[in-house]
Amino acid sequence: MRLLFGLVLIIMNDVPRLRYIFRQRRKPHTAEQCSEQMSGGVGKSYDAGHTEFHSIFTSGEEYLREHGGFYARDLKKMNQYLLTQGICDVNEVTATSLTSYVIYLEKEGRKPATISRSIASMKAFYHYMEKERRLAVDPSERLKAPRIEKKMPTVLTTEEVTRLLEQPGGTSPKELRDKAMLELLYATGIRVSELIGLKLEDVNMQIGYITCCDHTKNRTIPFGKEAKQALRTYLEKARSPLLKGRT
């Protein structure tokens, strides 16, 4: 008797999960039945792509109004797919149906980044529905985003670098400044943020090096004659005119 009573308590405490398991075993509606249910009866058509997000999102429309853009578009596409599978209520969505949708996106040739964003949208929506207690179990909990391959960074060819360095070819103060900046970037490999943070005392024109300072350490980086000549021309002919009027 005690064993039976304990079993009843366990079942009562786990009713939400049992309902979820039962939904996974339940036979889904047909697409026609979903159309009839959402449109109000037989003979009335239902647009699966309706922008007001009826069907799956009837109980979560305020979430969709608050989160537009890519979130809404991703969830709209999921809604269209689930309706074709005969799933027209948010409580009928299971982990299996969401996994099926992810596989569908892969077969459609969607890029891993697009699929990852769609999964993030689904997770955010179903997490919200569970948090609001409109779902007993979050069906997207175990969904995993596909691995996104890291692309090798593209680099400029020698000819492209030469053309870039030749772009500021004039003698105006701004062109001389740009020439010095490009030559120094090319010669030292420093970041743009480090370049604009350089002070005059950080540049040693006699020996030919710069000192880059950050929060943890200082780096001394040499530069060649081309960068030195561009810097000298900038300091002698362009810096003073550019600084005029500044306090």
Side-chain angles (χ1 to χ4, degrees), residues 53 61-75 117 121:
F53 291 99
E61 287 184 355
E62 67 275 15
Y63 174 87
L64 294 167
R65 285 194 294 268
E66 184 178 345
H67 301 81
F70 284 117
Y71 277 106
R73 274 176 274 179
D74 290 337
L75 294 174
R117 192 195 66 221
S121 299

Side-chain angles (χ1 to χ4, degrees), residues 155-210:
V155 296
L156 298 176
T157 64
T158 304
E159 293 77 13
E160 288 172 333
V161 171
T162 301
R163 289 201 299 271
L164 178 64
L165 294 175
E166 290 175 349
Q167 284 302 311
T171 57
S172 69
K174 288 186 178 181
E175 287 173 311
L176 294 177
R177 177 203 60 192
D178 294 346
K179 175 73 172 177
M181 291 172 67
L182 287 173
E183 289 286 357
L184 194 60
L185 283 171
Y186 179 63
T188 61
I190 60 175
R191 297 185 290 269
V192 173
S193 58
E194 293 175 321
L195 174 69
I196 62 178
L198 283 177
K199 299 177 182 178
L200 196 58
E201 55 266 28
D202 296 330
V203 182
N204 188 312
M205 291 296 294
Q206 184 175 0
I207 301 177
Y209 69 84
I210 59 173

Side-chain angles (χ1 to χ4, degrees), residues 55 69 82 136 138 140 149 182 208-210 234 239:
S55 68
L82 293 176
D138 179 359
S140 69
E149 296 182 4
L182 287 173
Y209 69 84
I210 59 173
Y234 161 71
R239 190 167 186 270

